[in-house]
Amino acid sequence: DARVTQTPRHKVTEMGQEVTMRCQPILGHNTVFWYRQTMMQGLELLAYFRNRAPLDDSGMPKDRFSAEMPDATLATLKIQPSEPRDSAVYFCASGSNFRMGETQYFGPGTRLLVL
Amino acid sequence: GNSVTQMEGPVTLSEEAFLTINCTYTATGYPSLFWYVQYPGEGLQLLLKATKADDKGSNKGFEATYRKETTSFHLEKGSVQVSDSAVYFCALILSGSARQLTFGSGTQLTVLP
């Protein structure tokens, strides 16, 4: 049963610290998405990749957030420096290709708390 | 722009009651439509989808029909169970280069025994 995995599942850190979240997409999927979920904003798309290339990261605060795919099996989302307003659940999702009706499969999320 | 509007929650039902969660959309083209479910502490799971007008998606007793004339994709279930308690998200995706899911705000469903 192929799944998207994310690490860590929970992270508590202090303001100003660097946070790195990792995602392993489903093997063979070529699109990867990063979302942030908060009570106030709901689900927000931060960035997405196709074939490891970033296609859109307009939803991401550029000054502190960065997203990369070092290889096809790993996507990372980094926050440096972190701020309390970054506290949220961060989801990674992957999909198989770019055709109509493509389904995105979500990981379990990383729950981040910045104190 | 594209948007999805869901009925506001929370929705509280007794076990075996009939469920409807309304979803309407605005899109510049012909979207595919999805319902995702999020159980407490978990990520989103695809519940069902429909890719063209009049298609009906179904899964686990849930159904939704893609209604182009009313731009709607209402979620229904004839008899809910306690285990259906979750947050339900309606979403759409359009063809083209921007393959982004546009989500509704989510509807919290609580089913009481």
Side-chain angles (χ1 to χ4, degrees), chain A residues 9 33 35 37 42-43 45 48 55-56 91 97-109 111, chain B residues 30-32 34 36 38 40-44 46 49 51 89 93-101 103:
Chain A
R9 292 292 309 274
F33 304 79
Y35 293 89
Q37 185 179 38
L43 274 161
L45 177 68
Y48 74 100
L55 287 191
D56 186 353
F91 289 106
N97 58 49
F98 244 47
R99 58 182 169 80
M100 177 65 77
E102 152 193 327
T103 298
Q104 294 183 19
Y105 295 87
F106 283 74
R111 296 179 181 275
Chain B
Y30 297 101
S32 289
F34 302 81
Y36 279 84
Q38 184 177 28
E42 298 184 12
L44 280 72
L46 178 68
K49 68 179 182 183
T51 58
F89 292 90
I93 196 167
L94 284 172
S95 62
S97 61
R99 301 293 293 176
Q100 303 170 12
L101 274 171
F103 285 95

mmCIF file of all heavy atoms in Angstrom, chain A residues 9 33 35 37 42-43 45 48 55-56 91 97-109 111, chain B residues 30-32 34 36 38 40-44 46 49 51 89 93-101 103:
data_model
loop_
_atom_site.group_PDB
_atom_site.id
_atom_site.type_symbol
_atom_site.label_atom_id
_atom_site.label_comp_id
_atom_site.label_asym_id
_atom_site.label_seq_id
_atom_site.Cartn_x
_atom_site.Cartn_y
_atom_site.Cartn_z
ATOM 1 N N ARG A 9 6.672 14.035 12.354
ATOM 2 C CA ARG A 9 5.229 14.162 12.473
ATOM 3 C C ARG A 9 4.869 15.346 13.360
ATOM 4 O O ARG A 9 3.828 15.972 13.187
ATOM 5 C CB ARG A 9 4.616 12.888 13.059
ATOM 6 C CG ARG A 9 4.699 11.674 12.131
ATOM 7 C CD ARG A 9 3.811 11.849 10.904
ATOM 8 N NE ARG A 9 2.466 12.233 11.235
ATOM 9 C CZ ARG A 9 1.486 11.389 11.537
ATOM 10 N NH1 ARG A 9 1.724 10.091 11.557
ATOM 11 N NH2 ARG A 9 0.267 11.827 11.820
ATOM 12 N N PHE A 33 3.398 18.438 -3.989
ATOM 13 C CA PHE A 33 2.786 19.672 -3.522
ATOM 14 C C PHE A 33 3.059 19.837 -2.030
ATOM 15 O O PHE A 33 3.050 18.868 -1.270
ATOM 16 C CB PHE A 33 1.263 19.625 -3.724
ATOM 17 C CG PHE A 33 0.830 19.362 -5.144
ATOM 18 C CD1 PHE A 33 0.843 18.087 -5.667
ATOM 19 C CD2 PHE A 33 0.408 20.407 -5.941
ATOM 20 C CE1 PHE A 33 0.441 17.839 -6.964
ATOM 21 C CE2 PHE A 33 0.002 20.170 -7.247
ATOM 22 C CZ PHE A 33 0.018 18.888 -7.754
ATOM 23 N N TYR A 35 1.384 21.946 1.196
ATOM 24 C CA TYR A 35 0.252 22.731 1.674
ATOM 25 C C TYR A 35 0.469 23.068 3.149
ATOM 26 O O TYR A 35 1.135 22.345 3.887
ATOM 27 C CB TYR A 35 -1.061 21.936 1.585
ATOM 28 C CG TYR A 35 -1.547 21.619 0.203
ATOM 29 C CD1 TYR A 35 -1.153 20.452 -0.446
ATOM 30 C CD2 TYR A 35 -2.427 22.474 -0.451
ATOM 31 C CE1 TYR A 35 -1.616 20.155 -1.715
ATOM 32 C CE2 TYR A 35 -2.902 22.182 -1.718
ATOM 33 C CZ TYR A 35 -2.493 21.015 -2.341
ATOM 34 O OH TYR A 35 -2.957 20.719 -3.591
ATOM 35 N N GLN A 37 -1.957 24.074 6.557
ATOM 36 C CA GLN A 37 -3.328 24.123 7.064
ATOM 37 C C GLN A 37 -3.356 24.818 8.423
ATOM 38 O O GLN A 37 -2.667 24.419 9.364
ATOM 39 C CB GLN A 37 -3.912 22.711 7.188
ATOM 40 C CG GLN A 37 -5.375 22.696 7.587
ATOM 41 C CD GLN A 37 -5.943 21.292 7.670
ATOM 42 O OE1 GLN A 37 -5.276 20.352 8.118
ATOM 43 N NE2 GLN A 37 -7.178 21.107 7.221
ATOM 44 N N GLY A 42 -7.365 27.882 6.541
ATOM 45 C CA GLY A 42 -7.694 26.628 5.885
ATOM 46 C C GLY A 42 -6.476 26.048 5.194
ATOM 47 O O GLY A 42 -5.358 26.203 5.665
ATOM 48 N N LEU A 43 -6.683 25.422 4.038
ATOM 49 C CA LEU A 43 -5.595 24.801 3.280
ATOM 50 C C LEU A 43 -5.052 25.783 2.262
ATOM 51 O O LEU A 43 -5.787 26.307 1.433
ATOM 52 C CB LEU A 43 -6.103 23.566 2.556
ATOM 53 C CG LEU A 43 -6.116 22.266 3.333
ATOM 54 C CD1 LEU A 43 -7.039 21.275 2.685
ATOM 55 C CD2 LEU A 43 -4.713 21.702 3.467
ATOM 56 N N LEU A 45 -1.947 26.340 -0.670
ATOM 57 C CA LEU A 45 -0.861 25.746 -1.441
ATOM 58 C C LEU A 45 0.366 26.636 -1.316
ATOM 59 O O LEU A 45 0.307 27.829 -1.600
ATOM 60 C CB LEU A 45 -1.274 25.621 -2.909
ATOM 61 C CG LEU A 45 -0.206 25.070 -3.843
ATOM 62 C CD1 LEU A 45 0.074 23.602 -3.528
ATOM 63 C CD2 LEU A 45 -0.639 25.230 -5.297
ATOM 64 N N TYR A 48 4.663 23.782 -5.578
ATOM 65 C CA TYR A 48 4.582 22.462 -6.145
ATOM 66 C C TYR A 48 5.630 22.247 -7.219
ATOM 67 O O TYR A 48 6.120 23.201 -7.829
ATOM 68 C CB TYR A 48 3.184 22.089 -6.611
ATOM 69 C CG TYR A 48 2.672 22.718 -7.878
ATOM 70 C CD1 TYR A 48 2.689 22.017 -9.075
ATOM 71 C CD2 TYR A 48 2.108 23.981 -7.865
ATOM 72 C CE1 TYR A 48 2.172 22.565 -10.227
ATOM 73 C CE2 TYR A 48 1.602 24.535 -9.017
ATOM 74 C CZ TYR A 48 1.623 23.827 -10.196
ATOM 75 O OH TYR A 48 1.109 24.373 -11.332
ATOM 76 N N LEU A 55 7.400 24.538 -10.063
ATOM 77 C CA LEU A 55 6.525 25.164 -11.048
ATOM 78 C C LEU A 55 5.847 26.407 -10.493
ATOM 79 O O LEU A 55 5.540 27.332 -11.236
ATOM 80 C CB LEU A 55 5.450 24.182 -11.523
ATOM 81 C CG LEU A 55 5.917 23.063 -12.441
ATOM 82 C CD1 LEU A 55 4.718 22.355 -13.045
ATOM 83 C CD2 LEU A 55 6.811 23.603 -13.542
ATOM 84 N N ASP A 56 5.588 26.384 -9.212
ATOM 85 C CA ASP A 56 4.899 27.529 -8.619
ATOM 86 C C ASP A 56 5.199 27.542 -7.138
ATOM 87 O O ASP A 56 4.912 26.577 -6.442
ATOM 88 C CB ASP A 56 3.392 27.424 -8.856
ATOM 89 C CG ASP A 56 2.632 28.667 -8.392
ATOM 90 O OD1 ASP A 56 3.243 29.545 -7.770
ATOM 91 O OD2 ASP A 56 1.421 28.749 -8.670
ATOM 92 N N PHE A 91 1.337 19.796 5.002
ATOM 93 C CA PHE A 91 1.075 18.558 4.283
ATOM 94 C C PHE A 91 1.853 18.523 2.982
ATOM 95 O O PHE A 91 1.961 19.522 2.273
ATOM 96 C CB PHE A 91 -0.411 18.420 3.953
ATOM 97 C CG PHE A 91 -1.285 18.151 5.137
ATOM 98 C CD1 PHE A 91 -2.095 19.152 5.654
ATOM 99 C CD2 PHE A 91 -1.311 16.909 5.733
ATOM 100 C CE1 PHE A 91 -2.918 18.906 6.743
ATOM 101 C CE2 PHE A 91 -2.120 16.650 6.826
ATOM 102 C CZ PHE A 91 -2.921 17.660 7.331
ATOM 103 N N ASN A 97 0.569 12.262 -12.657
ATOM 104 C CA ASN A 97 0.928 12.969 -13.884
ATOM 105 C C ASN A 97 -0.015 14.140 -14.080
ATOM 106 O O ASN A 97 -0.872 14.411 -13.272
ATOM 107 C CB ASN A 97 0.924 12.044 -15.104
ATOM 108 C CG ASN A 97 -0.416 11.385 -15.299
ATOM 109 O OD1 ASN A 97 -1.439 12.057 -15.281
ATOM 110 N ND2 ASN A 97 -0.416 10.088 -15.464
ATOM 111 N N PHE A 98 0.121 14.805 -15.174
ATOM 112 C CA PHE A 98 -0.515 16.089 -15.381
ATOM 113 C C PHE A 98 -1.736 15.985 -16.286
ATOM 114 O O PHE A 98 -1.900 16.764 -17.183
ATOM 115 C CB PHE A 98 0.498 17.028 -16.041
ATOM 116 C CG PHE A 98 0.846 18.188 -15.166
ATOM 117 C CD1 PHE A 98 1.150 17.996 -13.840
ATOM 118 C CD2 PHE A 98 0.876 19.467 -15.666
ATOM 119 C CE1 PHE A 98 1.474 19.053 -13.025
ATOM 120 C CE2 PHE A 98 1.198 20.539 -14.865
ATOM 121 C CZ PHE A 98 1.500 20.331 -13.556
ATOM 122 N N ARG A 99 -2.589 14.996 -16.028
ATOM 123 C CA ARG A 99 -3.763 14.915 -16.880
ATOM 124 C C ARG A 99 -5.017 15.193 -16.070
ATOM 125 O O ARG A 99 -5.024 15.135 -14.849
ATOM 126 C CB ARG A 99 -3.842 13.543 -17.545
ATOM 127 C CG ARG A 99 -3.876 12.384 -16.563
ATOM 128 C CD ARG A 99 -3.903 11.035 -17.279
ATOM 129 N NE ARG A 99 -3.670 9.940 -16.364
ATOM 130 C CZ ARG A 99 -4.606 9.436 -15.571
ATOM 131 N NH1 ARG A 99 -5.818 9.941 -15.575
ATOM 132 N NH2 ARG A 99 -4.325 8.436 -14.759
ATOM 133 N N MET A 100 -6.093 15.443 -16.745
ATOM 134 C CA MET A 100 -7.360 15.771 -16.097
ATOM 135 C C MET A 100 -7.773 14.657 -15.148
ATOM 136 O O MET A 100 -7.698 13.487 -15.464
ATOM 137 C CB MET A 100 -8.428 15.977 -17.169
ATOM 138 C CG MET A 100 -9.798 16.257 -16.621
ATOM 139 S SD MET A 100 -9.891 17.830 -15.732
ATOM 140 C CE MET A 100 -9.931 18.973 -17.112
ATOM 141 N N GLY A 101 -8.196 15.049 -13.984
ATOM 142 C CA GLY A 101 -8.681 14.067 -13.020
ATOM 143 C C GLY A 101 -7.606 13.455 -12.163
ATOM 144 O O GLY A 101 -7.868 12.551 -11.389
ATOM 145 N N GLU A 102 -6.382 13.948 -12.313
ATOM 146 C CA GLU A 102 -5.284 13.449 -11.487
ATOM 147 C C GLU A 102 -5.633 13.576 -10.016
ATOM 148 O O GLU A 102 -6.192 14.571 -9.572
ATOM 149 C CB GLU A 102 -4.043 14.254 -11.820
ATOM 150 C CG GLU A 102 -3.018 14.399 -10.749
ATOM 151 C CD GLU A 102 -2.006 15.477 -11.096
ATOM 152 O OE1 GLU A 102 -1.725 15.636 -12.285
ATOM 153 O OE2 GLU A 102 -1.519 16.143 -10.182
ATOM 154 N N THR A 103 -5.277 12.546 -9.264
ATOM 155 C CA THR A 103 -5.558 12.533 -7.839
ATOM 156 C C THR A 103 -4.298 12.854 -7.067
ATOM 157 O O THR A 103 -3.222 12.353 -7.393
ATOM 158 C CB THR A 103 -6.073 11.144 -7.431
ATOM 159 O OG1 THR A 103 -7.297 10.902 -8.130
ATOM 160 C CG2 THR A 103 -6.309 11.070 -5.934
ATOM 161 N N GLN A 104 -4.427 13.678 -6.057
ATOM 162 C CA GLN A 104 -3.307 13.954 -5.165
ATOM 163 C C GLN A 104 -3.453 13.110 -3.917
ATOM 164 O O GLN A 104 -4.537 13.025 -3.334
ATOM 165 C CB GLN A 104 -3.272 15.440 -4.790
ATOM 166 C CG GLN A 104 -2.971 16.342 -5.976
ATOM 167 C CD GLN A 104 -2.867 17.793 -5.591
ATOM 168 O OE1 GLN A 104 -2.667 18.134 -4.423
ATOM 169 N NE2 GLN A 104 -2.995 18.675 -6.576
ATOM 170 N N TYR A 105 -2.357 12.507 -3.506
ATOM 171 C CA TYR A 105 -2.330 11.665 -2.320
ATOM 172 C C TYR A 105 -1.542 12.403 -1.235
ATOM 173 O O TYR A 105 -0.405 12.791 -1.441
ATOM 174 C CB TYR A 105 -1.675 10.315 -2.633
ATOM 175 C CG TYR A 105 -2.473 9.512 -3.623
ATOM 176 C CD1 TYR A 105 -2.283 9.692 -4.990
ATOM 177 C CD2 TYR A 105 -3.435 8.606 -3.204
ATOM 178 C CE1 TYR A 105 -3.027 8.975 -5.911
ATOM 179 C CE2 TYR A 105 -4.178 7.878 -4.113
ATOM 180 C CZ TYR A 105 -3.971 8.075 -5.473
ATOM 181 O OH TYR A 105 -4.718 7.369 -6.369
ATOM 182 N N PHE A 106 -2.190 12.556 -0.086
ATOM 183 C CA PHE A 106 -1.617 13.368 0.974
ATOM 184 C C PHE A 106 -0.866 12.523 2.004
ATOM 185 O O PHE A 106 -1.275 11.401 2.332
ATOM 186 C CB PHE A 106 -2.721 14.150 1.700
ATOM 187 C CG PHE A 106 -3.205 15.340 0.939
ATOM 188 C CD1 PHE A 106 -4.015 15.198 -0.181
ATOM 189 C CD2 PHE A 106 -2.849 16.621 1.336
ATOM 190 C CE1 PHE A 106 -4.460 16.307 -0.893
ATOM 191 C CE2 PHE A 106 -3.296 17.732 0.635
ATOM 192 C CZ PHE A 106 -4.094 17.577 -0.473
ATOM 193 N N GLY A 107 0.198 13.116 2.524
ATOM 194 C CA GLY A 107 0.870 12.524 3.665
ATOM 195 C C GLY A 107 0.143 12.865 4.953
ATOM 196 O O GLY A 107 -0.835 13.621 4.938
ATOM 197 N N PRO A 108 0.622 12.336 6.085
ATOM 198 C CA PRO A 108 -0.059 12.557 7.369
ATOM 199 C C PRO A 108 0.175 13.938 7.959
ATOM 200 O O PRO A 108 -0.511 14.328 8.909
ATOM 201 C CB PRO A 108 0.535 11.479 8.261
ATOM 202 C CG PRO A 108 1.901 11.252 7.698
ATOM 203 C CD PRO A 108 1.760 11.436 6.209
ATOM 204 N N GLY A 109 1.136 14.677 7.412
ATOM 205 C CA GLY A 109 1.373 16.030 7.886
ATOM 206 C C GLY A 109 2.457 16.133 8.950
ATOM 207 O O GLY A 109 2.756 15.169 9.647
ATOM 208 N N ARG A 111 3.082 18.545 12.180
ATOM 209 C CA ARG A 111 2.470 19.567 13.051
ATOM 210 C C ARG A 111 3.577 20.389 13.669
ATOM 211 O O ARG A 111 4.354 19.889 14.473
ATOM 212 C CB ARG A 111 1.624 18.902 14.139
ATOM 213 C CG ARG A 111 0.471 18.155 13.568
ATOM 214 C CD ARG A 111 -0.383 17.463 14.617
ATOM 215 N NE ARG A 111 -1.451 16.743 13.943
ATOM 216 C CZ ARG A 111 -2.596 17.284 13.574
ATOM 217 N NH1 ARG A 111 -2.836 18.550 13.842
ATOM 218 N NH2 ARG A 111 -3.504 16.578 12.949
ATOM 219 N N TYR B 30 -13.611 23.707 -17.362
ATOM 220 C CA TYR B 30 -14.374 22.518 -16.970
ATOM 221 C C TYR B 30 -13.533 21.712 -15.980
ATOM 222 O O TYR B 30 -12.638 20.969 -16.386
ATOM 223 C CB TYR B 30 -14.716 21.684 -18.193
ATOM 224 C CG TYR B 30 -15.614 22.442 -19.151
ATOM 225 C CD1 TYR B 30 -15.086 23.044 -20.291
ATOM 226 C CD2 TYR B 30 -16.976 22.581 -18.901
ATOM 227 C CE1 TYR B 30 -15.904 23.754 -21.158
ATOM 228 C CE2 TYR B 30 -17.790 23.290 -19.755
ATOM 229 C CZ TYR B 30 -17.249 23.884 -20.885
ATOM 230 O OH TYR B 30 -18.042 24.592 -21.737
ATOM 231 N N PRO B 31 -13.841 21.876 -14.711
ATOM 232 C CA PRO B 31 -12.971 21.245 -13.708
ATOM 233 C C PRO B 31 -13.309 19.782 -13.475
ATOM 234 O O PRO B 31 -14.382 19.297 -13.836
ATOM 235 C CB PRO B 31 -13.297 22.051 -12.445
ATOM 236 C CG PRO B 31 -14.731 22.462 -12.633
ATOM 237 C CD PRO B 31 -14.901 22.696 -14.109
ATOM 238 N N SER B 32 -12.364 19.091 -12.861
ATOM 239 C CA SER B 32 -12.647 17.839 -12.179
ATOM 240 C C SER B 32 -12.961 18.197 -10.734
ATOM 241 O O SER B 32 -12.407 19.146 -10.180
ATOM 242 C CB SER B 32 -11.441 16.901 -12.225
ATOM 243 O OG SER B 32 -11.248 16.405 -13.522
ATOM 244 N N PHE B 34 -13.714 16.936 -6.603
ATOM 245 C CA PHE B 34 -13.262 15.951 -5.619
ATOM 246 C C PHE B 34 -13.924 16.213 -4.268
ATOM 247 O O PHE B 34 -14.262 17.353 -3.926
ATOM 248 C CB PHE B 34 -11.745 16.053 -5.392
ATOM 249 C CG PHE B 34 -10.905 15.873 -6.630
ATOM 250 C CD1 PHE B 34 -10.718 16.925 -7.517
ATOM 251 C CD2 PHE B 34 -10.290 14.665 -6.892
ATOM 252 C CE1 PHE B 34 -9.923 16.769 -8.660
ATOM 253 C CE2 PHE B 34 -9.505 14.496 -8.022
ATOM 254 C CZ PHE B 34 -9.324 15.547 -8.904
ATOM 255 N N TYR B 36 -12.569 15.256 -0.438
ATOM 256 C CA TYR B 36 -11.543 14.687 0.419
ATOM 257 C C TYR B 36 -12.095 14.634 1.844
ATOM 258 O O TYR B 36 -12.914 15.482 2.238
ATOM 259 C CB TYR B 36 -10.276 15.545 0.417
ATOM 260 C CG TYR B 36 -9.362 15.322 -0.769
ATOM 261 C CD1 TYR B 36 -9.589 15.983 -1.968
ATOM 262 C CD2 TYR B 36 -8.279 14.463 -0.675
ATOM 263 C CE1 TYR B 36 -8.733 15.780 -3.059
ATOM 264 C CE2 TYR B 36 -7.420 14.254 -1.751
ATOM 265 C CZ TYR B 36 -7.665 14.915 -2.933
ATOM 266 O OH TYR B 36 -6.822 14.715 -4.015
ATOM 267 N N GLN B 38 -10.859 14.252 6.006
ATOM 268 C CA GLN B 38 -9.734 14.332 6.954
ATOM 269 C C GLN B 38 -10.219 13.869 8.313
ATOM 270 O O GLN B 38 -11.013 14.554 8.965
ATOM 271 C CB GLN B 38 -9.187 15.758 7.022
ATOM 272 C CG GLN B 38 -7.955 15.887 7.903
ATOM 273 C CD GLN B 38 -7.385 17.296 7.911
ATOM 274 O OE1 GLN B 38 -8.102 18.274 7.716
ATOM 275 N NE2 GLN B 38 -6.082 17.417 8.130
ATOM 276 N N PRO B 40 -9.508 12.946 12.335
ATOM 277 C CA PRO B 40 -8.719 13.657 13.351
ATOM 278 C C PRO B 40 -7.264 13.210 13.380
ATOM 279 O O PRO B 40 -6.965 12.023 13.454
ATOM 280 C CB PRO B 40 -9.442 13.307 14.658
ATOM 281 C CG PRO B 40 -10.853 13.044 14.244
ATOM 282 C CD PRO B 40 -10.762 12.395 12.897
ATOM 283 N N GLY B 41 -6.369 14.168 13.288
ATOM 284 C CA GLY B 41 -4.945 13.891 13.389
ATOM 285 C C GLY B 41 -4.323 13.286 12.149
ATOM 286 O O GLY B 41 -3.160 12.877 12.177
ATOM 287 N N GLU B 42 -5.072 13.227 11.060
ATOM 288 C CA GLU B 42 -4.551 12.599 9.852
ATOM 289 C C GLU B 42 -4.528 13.569 8.677
ATOM 290 O O GLU B 42 -5.047 14.675 8.755
ATOM 291 C CB GLU B 42 -5.391 11.372 9.495
ATOM 292 C CG GLU B 42 -5.367 10.292 10.559
ATOM 293 C CD GLU B 42 -6.129 9.056 10.114
ATOM 294 O OE1 GLU B 42 -6.478 8.939 8.924
ATOM 295 O OE2 GLU B 42 -6.373 8.191 10.981
ATOM 296 N N GLY B 43 -3.924 13.121 7.591
ATOM 297 C CA GLY B 43 -3.933 13.899 6.362
ATOM 298 C C GLY B 43 -5.223 13.709 5.597
ATOM 299 O O GLY B 43 -6.112 12.969 6.014
ATOM 300 N N LEU B 44 -5.326 14.387 4.469
ATOM 301 C CA LEU B 44 -6.531 14.280 3.646
ATOM 302 C C LEU B 44 -6.496 13.004 2.825
ATOM 303 O O LEU B 44 -5.455 12.616 2.292
ATOM 304 C CB LEU B 44 -6.643 15.486 2.705
ATOM 305 C CG LEU B 44 -7.184 16.772 3.295
ATOM 306 C CD1 LEU B 44 -6.186 17.428 4.220
ATOM 307 C CD2 LEU B 44 -7.608 17.733 2.189
ATOM 308 N N LEU B 46 -8.552 11.010 -0.391
ATOM 309 C CA LEU B 46 -9.551 11.142 -1.428
ATOM 310 C C LEU B 46 -10.750 10.255 -1.097
ATOM 311 O O LEU B 46 -10.597 9.061 -0.851
ATOM 312 C CB LEU B 46 -8.979 10.738 -2.783
ATOM 313 C CG LEU B 46 -9.968 10.805 -3.937
ATOM 314 C CD1 LEU B 46 -10.329 12.258 -4.228
ATOM 315 C CD2 LEU B 46 -9.399 10.139 -5.185
ATOM 316 N N LYS B 49 -14.442 11.216 -6.635
ATOM 317 C CA LYS B 49 -14.193 12.265 -7.611
ATOM 318 C C LYS B 49 -15.090 12.058 -8.821
ATOM 319 O O LYS B 49 -15.650 10.977 -9.042
ATOM 320 C CB LYS B 49 -12.730 12.277 -8.037
ATOM 321 C CG LYS B 49 -12.293 11.070 -8.845
ATOM 322 C CD LYS B 49 -10.819 11.193 -9.227
ATOM 323 C CE LYS B 49 -10.375 10.013 -10.096
ATOM 324 N NZ LYS B 49 -8.921 10.094 -10.423
ATOM 325 N N THR B 51 -15.068 13.570 -13.063
ATOM 326 C CA THR B 51 -14.255 14.339 -14.003
ATOM 327 C C THR B 51 -15.055 15.049 -15.091
ATOM 328 O O THR B 51 -14.497 15.875 -15.814
ATOM 329 C CB THR B 51 -13.208 13.438 -14.671
ATOM 330 O OG1 THR B 51 -13.898 12.372 -15.338
ATOM 331 C CG2 THR B 51 -12.258 12.848 -13.649
ATOM 332 N N PHE B 89 -13.803 18.037 2.702
ATOM 333 C CA PHE B 89 -13.386 19.138 1.837
ATOM 334 C C PHE B 89 -13.816 18.863 0.406
ATOM 335 O O PHE B 89 -13.523 17.799 -0.149
ATOM 336 C CB PHE B 89 -11.861 19.298 1.847
ATOM 337 C CG PHE B 89 -11.278 19.765 3.140
ATOM 338 C CD1 PHE B 89 -10.885 18.850 4.109
ATOM 339 C CD2 PHE B 89 -11.120 21.112 3.396
ATOM 340 C CE1 PHE B 89 -10.332 19.277 5.321
ATOM 341 C CE2 PHE B 89 -10.569 21.556 4.598
ATOM 342 C CZ PHE B 89 -10.185 20.638 5.556
ATOM 343 N N ILE B 93 -10.064 20.906 -9.653
ATOM 344 C CA ILE B 93 -8.800 21.073 -10.353
ATOM 345 C C ILE B 93 -9.125 21.301 -11.829
ATOM 346 O O ILE B 93 -10.064 20.710 -12.364
ATOM 347 C CB ILE B 93 -7.881 19.865 -10.148
ATOM 348 C CG1 ILE B 93 -6.445 20.187 -10.541
ATOM 349 C CG2 ILE B 93 -8.374 18.642 -10.881
ATOM 350 C CD1 ILE B 93 -5.448 19.132 -10.070
ATOM 351 N N LEU B 94 -8.372 22.207 -12.452
ATOM 352 C CA LEU B 94 -8.596 22.526 -13.854
ATOM 353 C C LEU B 94 -7.466 21.983 -14.710
ATOM 354 O O LEU B 94 -6.330 21.840 -14.234
ATOM 355 C CB LEU B 94 -8.679 24.042 -14.049
ATOM 356 C CG LEU B 94 -9.976 24.718 -13.615
ATOM 357 C CD1 LEU B 94 -9.829 26.217 -13.683
ATOM 358 C CD2 LEU B 94 -11.124 24.265 -14.507
ATOM 359 N N SER B 95 -7.759 21.733 -15.964
ATOM 360 C CA SER B 95 -6.704 21.320 -16.879
ATOM 361 C C SER B 95 -5.799 22.510 -17.159
ATOM 362 O O SER B 95 -6.145 23.650 -16.868
ATOM 363 C CB SER B 95 -7.303 20.801 -18.179
ATOM 364 O OG SER B 95 -8.039 21.825 -18.813
ATOM 365 N N GLY B 96 -4.662 22.243 -17.746
ATOM 366 C CA GLY B 96 -3.718 23.305 -18.041
ATOM 367 C C GLY B 96 -2.477 23.180 -17.204
ATOM 368 O O GLY B 96 -2.256 22.188 -16.523
ATOM 369 N N SER B 97 -1.685 24.196 -17.210
ATOM 370 C CA SER B 97 -0.391 24.110 -16.558
ATOM 371 C C SER B 97 -0.495 24.244 -15.044
ATOM 372 O O SER B 97 0.335 23.718 -14.316
ATOM 373 C CB SER B 97 0.539 25.192 -17.095
ATOM 374 O OG SER B 97 -0.012 26.478 -16.833
ATOM 375 N N ALA B 98 -1.498 24.934 -14.568
ATOM 376 C CA ALA B 98 -1.605 25.142 -13.124
ATOM 377 C C ALA B 98 -2.454 24.035 -12.518
ATOM 378 O O ALA B 98 -3.657 24.155 -12.378
ATOM 379 C CB ALA B 98 -2.225 26.497 -12.841
ATOM 380 N N ARG B 99 -1.803 22.947 -12.131
ATOM 381 C CA ARG B 99 -2.553 21.790 -11.642
ATOM 382 C C ARG B 99 -2.774 21.883 -10.155
ATOM 383 O O ARG B 99 -2.415 20.989 -9.407
ATOM 384 C CB ARG B 99 -1.767 20.514 -11.993
ATOM 385 C CG ARG B 99 -1.523 20.359 -13.466
ATOM 386 C CD ARG B 99 -2.806 20.129 -14.195
ATOM 387 N NE ARG B 99 -3.387 18.859 -13.846
ATOM 388 C CZ ARG B 99 -4.562 18.443 -14.297
ATOM 389 N NH1 ARG B 99 -5.287 19.214 -15.064
ATOM 390 N NH2 ARG B 99 -5.012 17.276 -13.942
ATOM 391 N N GLN B 100 -3.387 22.947 -9.744
ATOM 392 C CA GLN B 100 -3.559 23.159 -8.321
ATOM 393 C C GLN B 100 -4.966 22.794 -7.915
ATOM 394 O O GLN B 100 -5.945 23.146 -8.571
ATOM 395 C CB GLN B 100 -3.310 24.619 -7.977
ATOM 396 C CG GLN B 100 -1.940 25.118 -8.393
ATOM 397 C CD GLN B 100 -1.835 26.615 -8.249
ATOM 398 O OE1 GLN B 100 -2.688 27.236 -7.651
ATOM 399 N NE2 GLN B 100 -0.798 27.192 -8.807
ATOM 400 N N LEU B 101 -5.070 22.113 -6.788
ATOM 401 C CA LEU B 101 -6.367 21.876 -6.176
ATOM 402 C C LEU B 101 -6.828 23.155 -5.497
ATOM 403 O O LEU B 101 -6.084 23.756 -4.733
ATOM 404 C CB LEU B 101 -6.278 20.765 -5.136
ATOM 405 C CG LEU B 101 -6.431 19.328 -5.609
ATOM 406 C CD1 LEU B 101 -6.095 18.378 -4.470
ATOM 407 C CD2 LEU B 101 -7.839 19.062 -6.106
ATOM 408 N N PHE B 103 -9.459 24.269 -2.786
ATOM 409 C CA PHE B 103 -10.262 23.639 -1.740
ATOM 410 C C PHE B 103 -11.342 24.568 -1.214
ATOM 411 O O PHE B 103 -11.165 25.791 -1.163
ATOM 412 C CB PHE B 103 -9.373 23.259 -0.552
ATOM 413 C CG PHE B 103 -8.516 22.052 -0.767
ATOM 414 C CD1 PHE B 103 -7.206 22.181 -1.199
ATOM 415 C CD2 PHE B 103 -9.017 20.780 -0.542
ATOM 416 C CE1 PHE B 103 -6.408 21.069 -1.397
ATOM 417 C CE2 PHE B 103 -8.221 19.662 -0.738
ATOM 418 C CZ PHE B 103 -6.923 19.811 -1.162
#
